[in-house]
Amino acid sequence: MIKEEQIKMIAETLLPGFIPKNQDAKELTFHFTVPPGQSFKVFFERKNNSEWNWKGYEPEEN
């Protein structure tokens, strides 16, 4: 199983491709899969229109 630190690092690397165009958005969620087939749903939040901050993740069933 992948550790949370690794999931966070991957999610933060992918984050720029998922940032919403709506500048008023405060929450962001997206899914990704790590080969050979571990999938995760990750959560970010933004406060005071600053950068997106890691909130957490949950494993997804394949």
Side-chain angles (χ1 to χ4, degrees), residues 18 27-31 41-44 52:
F18 291 95
E27 295 183 350
L28 170 61
T29 302
F30 62 89
H31 302 255
K41 181 178 182 180
V42 294
F43 306 92
F44 288 86
W52 291 95

Side-chain angles (χ1 to χ4, degrees), residues 1 6 9 15 19-21 27-28 35 38 44 46 52 54 58 60-62:
M1 181 72 170
Q6 293 169 307
M9 182 184 71
L15 179 63
I19 293 176
K21 292 179 182 177
E27 295 183 350
L28 170 61
Q38 295 182 359
F44 288 86
R46 181 168 61 181
W52 291 95
W54 171 257
E58 59 186 45
E60 292 283 297
E61 292 185 26
N62 293 329

Side-chain angles (χ1 to χ4, degrees), residues 1-12 32:
M1 181 72 170
I2 297 175
K3 296 180 182 179
E4 181 173 2
E5 298 84 29
Q6 293 169 307
I7 296 167
K8 180 181 177 188
M9 182 184 71
I10 294 167
E12 288 176 339
F32 67 89

